[in-house]
PDB file of all heavy atoms in Angstrom:
ATOM      1  N   GLN A  13      16.723  -9.711  -4.193  1.00  0.00           N
ATOM      2  CA  GLN A  13      16.000 -10.094  -2.988  1.00  0.00           C
ATOM      3  C   GLN A  13      16.810  -9.742  -1.755  1.00  0.00           C
ATOM      4  O   GLN A  13      18.048  -9.665  -1.794  1.00  0.00           O
ATOM      5  CB  GLN A  13      15.689 -11.599  -3.004  1.00  0.00           C
ATOM      6  CG  GLN A  13      14.710 -11.997  -4.095  1.00  0.00           C
ATOM      7  CD  GLN A  13      14.340 -13.472  -3.991  1.00  0.00           C
ATOM      8  OE1 GLN A  13      15.012 -14.265  -3.353  1.00  0.00           O
ATOM      9  NE2 GLN A  13      13.239 -13.820  -4.626  1.00  0.00           N
ATOM     10  N   PRO A  14      16.126  -9.541  -0.619  1.00  0.00           N
ATOM     11  CA  PRO A  14      16.854  -9.309   0.632  1.00  0.00           C
ATOM     12  C   PRO A  14      17.858 -10.428   0.881  1.00  0.00           C
ATOM     13  O   PRO A  14      17.573 -11.630   0.669  1.00  0.00           O
ATOM     14  CB  PRO A  14      15.748  -9.313   1.677  1.00  0.00           C
ATOM     15  CG  PRO A  14      14.547  -8.840   0.931  1.00  0.00           C
ATOM     16  CD  PRO A  14      14.666  -9.455  -0.445  1.00  0.00           C
ATOM     17  N   GLY A  15      19.043 -10.036   1.327  1.00  0.00           N
ATOM     18  CA  GLY A  15      20.115 -10.989   1.528  1.00  0.00           C
ATOM     19  C   GLY A  15      20.993 -11.210   0.314  1.00  0.00           C
ATOM     20  O   GLY A  15      22.054 -11.866   0.416  1.00  0.00           O
ATOM     21  N   GLY A  16      20.586 -10.672  -0.806  1.00  0.00           N
ATOM     22  CA  GLY A  16      21.333 -10.868  -2.043  1.00  0.00           C
ATOM     23  C   GLY A  16      22.475  -9.881  -2.199  1.00  0.00           C
ATOM     24  O   GLY A  16      22.768  -9.082  -1.287  1.00  0.00           O
ATOM     25  N   SER A  17      23.127  -9.960  -3.357  1.00  0.00           N
ATOM     26  CA  SER A  17      24.323  -9.146  -3.619  1.00  0.00           C
ATOM     27  C   SER A  17      24.233  -8.473  -4.978  1.00  0.00           C
ATOM     28  O   SER A  17      23.581  -8.986  -5.904  1.00  0.00           O
ATOM     29  CB  SER A  17      25.572 -10.038  -3.585  1.00  0.00           C
ATOM     30  OG  SER A  17      25.753 -10.649  -2.328  1.00  0.00           O
ATOM     31  N   LEU A  18      24.911  -7.374  -5.073  1.00  0.00           N
ATOM     32  CA  LEU A  18      25.104  -6.676  -6.339  1.00  0.00           C
ATOM     33  C   LEU A  18      26.488  -6.053  -6.336  1.00  0.00           C
ATOM     34  O   LEU A  18      27.009  -5.715  -5.253  1.00  0.00           O
ATOM     35  CB  LEU A  18      24.084  -5.546  -6.536  1.00  0.00           C
ATOM     36  CG  LEU A  18      22.641  -5.902  -6.919  1.00  0.00           C
ATOM     37  CD1 LEU A  18      21.778  -4.661  -6.910  1.00  0.00           C
ATOM     38  CD2 LEU A  18      22.599  -6.579  -8.298  1.00  0.00           C
ATOM     39  N   ARG A  19      27.061  -5.877  -7.510  1.00  0.00           N
ATOM     40  CA  ARG A  19      28.309  -5.134  -7.629  1.00  0.00           C
ATOM     41  C   ARG A  19      28.066  -3.934  -8.549  1.00  0.00           C
ATOM     42  O   ARG A  19      27.732  -4.123  -9.738  1.00  0.00           O
ATOM     43  CB  ARG A  19      29.429  -5.984  -8.181  1.00  0.00           C
ATOM     44  CG  ARG A  19      30.785  -5.216  -8.153  1.00  0.00           C
ATOM     45  CD  ARG A  19      31.960  -6.075  -8.548  1.00  0.00           C
ATOM     46  NE  ARG A  19      32.077  -6.217  -9.996  1.00  0.00           N
ATOM     47  CZ  ARG A  19      33.178  -6.547 -10.617  1.00  0.00           C
ATOM     48  NH1 ARG A  19      34.294  -6.767  -9.922  1.00  0.00           N
ATOM     49  NH2 ARG A  19      33.203  -6.686 -11.925  1.00  0.00           N
ATOM     50  N   LEU A  20      28.246  -2.766  -8.008  1.00  0.00           N
ATOM     51  CA  LEU A  20      28.134  -1.552  -8.796  1.00  0.00           C
ATOM     52  C   LEU A  20      29.526  -1.129  -9.310  1.00  0.00           C
ATOM     53  O   LEU A  20      30.510  -1.324  -8.627  1.00  0.00           O
ATOM     54  CB  LEU A  20      27.543  -0.395  -7.973  1.00  0.00           C
ATOM     55  CG  LEU A  20      26.194  -0.643  -7.305  1.00  0.00           C
ATOM     56  CD1 LEU A  20      25.731   0.616  -6.620  1.00  0.00           C
ATOM     57  CD2 LEU A  20      25.177  -1.171  -8.292  1.00  0.00           C
ATOM     58  N   SER A  21      29.504  -0.591 -10.518  1.00  0.00           N
ATOM     59  CA  SER A  21      30.748  -0.077 -11.105  1.00  0.00           C
ATOM     60  C   SER A  21      30.590   1.416 -11.369  1.00  0.00           C
ATOM     61  O   SER A  21      29.506   1.894 -11.716  1.00  0.00           O
ATOM     62  CB  SER A  21      31.053  -0.784 -12.420  1.00  0.00           C
ATOM     63  OG  SER A  21      31.276  -2.175 -12.210  1.00  0.00           O
ATOM     64  N   CYS A  22      31.684   2.115 -11.212  1.00  0.00           N
ATOM     65  CA  CYS A  22      31.764   3.529 -11.518  1.00  0.00           C
ATOM     66  C   CYS A  22      32.952   3.679 -12.476  1.00  0.00           C
ATOM     67  O   CYS A  22      34.099   3.529 -12.057  1.00  0.00           O
ATOM     68  CB  CYS A  22      31.974   4.349 -10.255  1.00  0.00           C
ATOM     69  SG  CYS A  22      32.312   6.104 -10.519  1.00  0.00           S
ATOM     70  N   ALA A  23      32.652   3.960 -13.729  1.00  0.00           N
ATOM     71  CA  ALA A  23      33.717   3.984 -14.740  1.00  0.00           C
ATOM     72  C   ALA A  23      33.858   5.412 -15.301  1.00  0.00           C
ATOM     73  O   ALA A  23      32.861   6.141 -15.485  1.00  0.00           O
ATOM     74  CB  ALA A  23      33.368   3.018 -15.865  1.00  0.00           C
ATOM     75  N   ALA A  24      35.083   5.760 -15.592  1.00  0.00           N
ATOM     76  CA  ALA A  24      35.335   7.018 -16.289  1.00  0.00           C
ATOM     77  C   ALA A  24      35.030   6.825 -17.765  1.00  0.00           C
ATOM     78  O   ALA A  24      35.326   5.771 -18.337  1.00  0.00           O
ATOM     79  CB  ALA A  24      36.789   7.453 -16.120  1.00  0.00           C
ATOM     80  N   SER A  25      34.446   7.817 -18.370  1.00  0.00           N
ATOM     81  CA  SER A  25      34.068   7.719 -19.780  1.00  0.00           C
ATOM     82  C   SER A  25      34.583   8.910 -20.563  1.00  0.00           C
ATOM     83  O   SER A  25      35.142   9.856 -20.027  1.00  0.00           O
ATOM     84  CB  SER A  25      32.533   7.650 -19.897  1.00  0.00           C
ATOM     85  OG  SER A  25      31.965   8.878 -19.492  1.00  0.00           O
ATOM     86  N   GLY A  26      34.425   8.788 -21.895  1.00  0.00           N
ATOM     87  CA  GLY A  26      34.784   9.906 -22.769  1.00  0.00           C
ATOM     88  C   GLY A  26      36.254  10.241 -22.791  1.00  0.00           C
ATOM     89  O   GLY A  26      36.646  11.375 -23.033  1.00  0.00           O
ATOM     90  N   GLY A  27      37.074   9.217 -22.543  1.00  0.00           N
ATOM     91  CA  GLY A  27      38.522   9.439 -22.570  1.00  0.00           C
ATOM     92  C   GLY A  27      39.069  10.055 -21.303  1.00  0.00           C
ATOM     93  O   GLY A  27      40.273  10.360 -21.228  1.00  0.00           O
ATOM     94  N   SER A  28      38.224  10.269 -20.305  1.00  0.00           N
ATOM     95  CA  SER A  28      38.698  10.867 -19.056  1.00  0.00           C
ATOM     96  C   SER A  28      39.277   9.769 -18.143  1.00  0.00           C
ATOM     97  O   SER A  28      39.087   8.578 -18.385  1.00  0.00           O
ATOM     98  CB  SER A  28      37.560  11.597 -18.351  1.00  0.00           C
ATOM     99  OG  SER A  28      36.521  10.720 -17.987  1.00  0.00           O
ATOM    100  N   THR A  29      39.972  10.166 -17.082  1.00  0.00           N
ATOM    101  CA  THR A  29      40.577   9.244 -16.168  1.00  0.00           C
ATOM    102  C   THR A  29      40.203   9.617 -14.728  1.00  0.00           C
ATOM    103  O   THR A  29      40.171  10.808 -14.381  1.00  0.00           O
ATOM    104  CB  THR A  29      42.092   9.176 -16.329  1.00  0.00           C
ATOM    105  OG1 THR A  29      42.635   8.283 -15.346  1.00  0.00           O
ATOM    106  CG2 THR A  29      42.726  10.547 -16.122  1.00  0.00           C
ATOM    107  N   LEU A  30      39.933   8.588 -13.916  1.00  0.00           N
ATOM    108  CA  LEU A  30      39.599   8.884 -12.524  1.00  0.00           C
ATOM    109  C   LEU A  30      40.779   8.702 -11.569  1.00  0.00           C
ATOM    110  O   LEU A  30      40.643   8.837 -10.362  1.00  0.00           O
ATOM    111  CB  LEU A  30      38.402   8.050 -12.060  1.00  0.00           C
ATOM    112  CG  LEU A  30      38.382   6.542 -12.293  1.00  0.00           C
ATOM    113  CD1 LEU A  30      39.386   5.812 -11.406  1.00  0.00           C
ATOM    114  CD2 LEU A  30      36.969   5.991 -12.016  1.00  0.00           C
ATOM    115  N   ALA A  31      41.950   8.413 -12.128  1.00  0.00           N
ATOM    116  CA  ALA A  31      43.106   8.099 -11.287  1.00  0.00           C
ATOM    117  C   ALA A  31      43.502   9.240 -10.373  1.00  0.00           C
ATOM    118  O   ALA A  31      44.075   9.018  -9.290  1.00  0.00           O
ATOM    119  CB  ALA A  31      44.269   7.686 -12.154  1.00  0.00           C
ATOM    120  N   ASN A  32      43.229  10.479 -10.754  1.00  0.00           N
ATOM    121  CA  ASN A  32      43.648  11.637  -9.973  1.00  0.00           C
ATOM    122  C   ASN A  32      42.546  12.182  -9.079  1.00  0.00           C
ATOM    123  O   ASN A  32      42.640  13.299  -8.579  1.00  0.00           O
ATOM    124  CB  ASN A  32      44.128  12.747 -10.903  1.00  0.00           C
ATOM    125  CG  ASN A  32      45.404  12.378 -11.641  1.00  0.00           C
ATOM    126  OD1 ASN A  32      46.270  11.714 -11.082  1.00  0.00           O
ATOM    127  ND2 ASN A  32      45.481  12.762 -12.893  1.00  0.00           N
ATOM    128  N   HIS A  33      41.513  11.350  -8.885  1.00  0.00           N
ATOM    129  CA  HIS A  33      40.383  11.799  -8.087  1.00  0.00           C
ATOM    130  C   HIS A  33      40.118  10.820  -6.929  1.00  0.00           C
ATOM    131  O   HIS A  33      40.220   9.607  -7.115  1.00  0.00           O
ATOM    132  CB  HIS A  33      39.101  11.847  -8.920  1.00  0.00           C
ATOM    133  CG  HIS A  33      39.122  12.885 -10.003  1.00  0.00           C
ATOM    134  ND1 HIS A  33      39.920  12.803 -11.103  1.00  0.00           N
ATOM    135  CD2 HIS A  33      38.420  14.030 -10.115  1.00  0.00           C
ATOM    136  CE1 HIS A  33      39.726  13.874 -11.871  1.00  0.00           C
ATOM    137  NE2 HIS A  33      38.813  14.619 -11.301  1.00  0.00           N
ATOM    138  N   ALA A  34      39.757  11.359  -5.800  1.00  0.00           N
ATOM    139  CA  ALA A  34      39.104  10.507  -4.807  1.00  0.00           C
ATOM    140  C   ALA A  34      37.677  10.248  -5.327  1.00  0.00           C
ATOM    141  O   ALA A  34      37.093  11.110  -5.977  1.00  0.00           O
ATOM    142  CB  ALA A  34      39.060  11.201  -3.449  1.00  0.00           C
ATOM    143  N   ILE A  35      37.165   9.069  -5.023  1.00  0.00           N
ATOM    144  CA  ILE A  35      35.835   8.687  -5.494  1.00  0.00           C
ATOM    145  C   ILE A  35      34.938   8.385  -4.299  1.00  0.00           C
ATOM    146  O   ILE A  35      35.325   7.656  -3.385  1.00  0.00           O
ATOM    147  CB  ILE A  35      35.913   7.485  -6.415  1.00  0.00           C
ATOM    148  CG1 ILE A  35      36.766   7.779  -7.656  1.00  0.00           C
ATOM    149  CG2 ILE A  35      34.492   7.058  -6.849  1.00  0.00           C
ATOM    150  CD1 ILE A  35      36.221   8.854  -8.593  1.00  0.00           C
ATOM    151  N   GLY A  36      33.743   8.915  -4.339  1.00  0.00           N
ATOM    152  CA  GLY A  36      32.767   8.633  -3.300  1.00  0.00           C
ATOM    153  C   GLY A  36      31.508   7.982  -3.882  1.00  0.00           C
ATOM    154  O   GLY A  36      31.199   8.157  -5.051  1.00  0.00           O
ATOM    155  N   TRP A  37      30.839   7.237  -3.041  1.00  0.00           N
ATOM    156  CA  TRP A  37      29.537   6.646  -3.399  1.00  0.00           C
ATOM    157  C   TRP A  37      28.484   7.247  -2.478  1.00  0.00           C
ATOM    158  O   TRP A  37      28.693   7.312  -1.256  1.00  0.00           O
ATOM    159  CB  TRP A  37      29.539   5.129  -3.248  1.00  0.00           C
ATOM    160  CG  TRP A  37      30.136   4.412  -4.422  1.00  0.00           C
ATOM    161  CD1 TRP A  37      31.429   3.956  -4.530  1.00  0.00           C
ATOM    162  CD2 TRP A  37      29.475   4.036  -5.615  1.00  0.00           C
ATOM    163  NE1 TRP A  37      31.597   3.330  -5.745  1.00  0.00           N
ATOM    164  CE2 TRP A  37      30.427   3.368  -6.446  1.00  0.00           C
ATOM    165  CE3 TRP A  37      28.191   4.204  -6.116  1.00  0.00           C
ATOM    166  CZ2 TRP A  37      30.120   2.868  -7.687  1.00  0.00           C
ATOM    167  CZ3 TRP A  37      27.874   3.698  -7.373  1.00  0.00           C
ATOM    168  CH2 TRP A  37      28.834   3.024  -8.151  1.00  0.00           C
ATOM    169  N   PHE A  38      27.371   7.595  -3.100  1.00  0.00           N
ATOM    170  CA  PHE A  38      26.252   8.202  -2.374  1.00  0.00           C
ATOM    171  C   PHE A  38      24.975   7.493  -2.807  1.00  0.00           C
ATOM    172  O   PHE A  38      24.942   6.817  -3.854  1.00  0.00           O
ATOM    173  CB  PHE A  38      26.154   9.696  -2.727  1.00  0.00           C
ATOM    174  CG  PHE A  38      27.395  10.481  -2.363  1.00  0.00           C
ATOM    175  CD1 PHE A  38      28.520  10.464  -3.158  1.00  0.00           C
ATOM    176  CD2 PHE A  38      27.422  11.210  -1.192  1.00  0.00           C
ATOM    177  CE1 PHE A  38      29.667  11.155  -2.811  1.00  0.00           C
ATOM    178  CE2 PHE A  38      28.557  11.932  -0.813  1.00  0.00           C
ATOM    179  CZ  PHE A  38      29.673  11.894  -1.625  1.00  0.00           C
ATOM    180  N   ARG A  39      23.951   7.627  -2.004  1.00  0.00           N
ATOM    181  CA  ARG A  39      22.657   7.058  -2.391  1.00  0.00           C
ATOM    182  C   ARG A  39      21.566   7.981  -1.951  1.00  0.00           C
ATOM    183  O   ARG A  39      21.706   8.726  -0.985  1.00  0.00           O
ATOM    184  CB  ARG A  39      22.482   5.659  -1.804  1.00  0.00           C
ATOM    185  CG  ARG A  39      22.397   5.600  -0.296  1.00  0.00           C
ATOM    186  CD  ARG A  39      22.346   4.144   0.142  1.00  0.00           C
ATOM    187  NE  ARG A  39      22.232   4.046   1.615  1.00  0.00           N
ATOM    188  CZ  ARG A  39      22.261   2.882   2.269  1.00  0.00           C
ATOM    189  NH1 ARG A  39      22.394   1.740   1.601  1.00  0.00           N
ATOM    190  NH2 ARG A  39      22.133   2.864   3.576  1.00  0.00           N
TER     191      ARG A  39
END
Side-chain angles (χ1 to χ4, degrees):
Q13 293 185 342
S17 299
L18 284 173
R19 186 175 80 159
L20 304 185
S21 297
C22 172
S25 68
S28 62
T29 177
L30 51 70
N32 294 323
H33 293 70
I35 300 295
W37 279 96
F38 299 80
R39 66 185 181 185

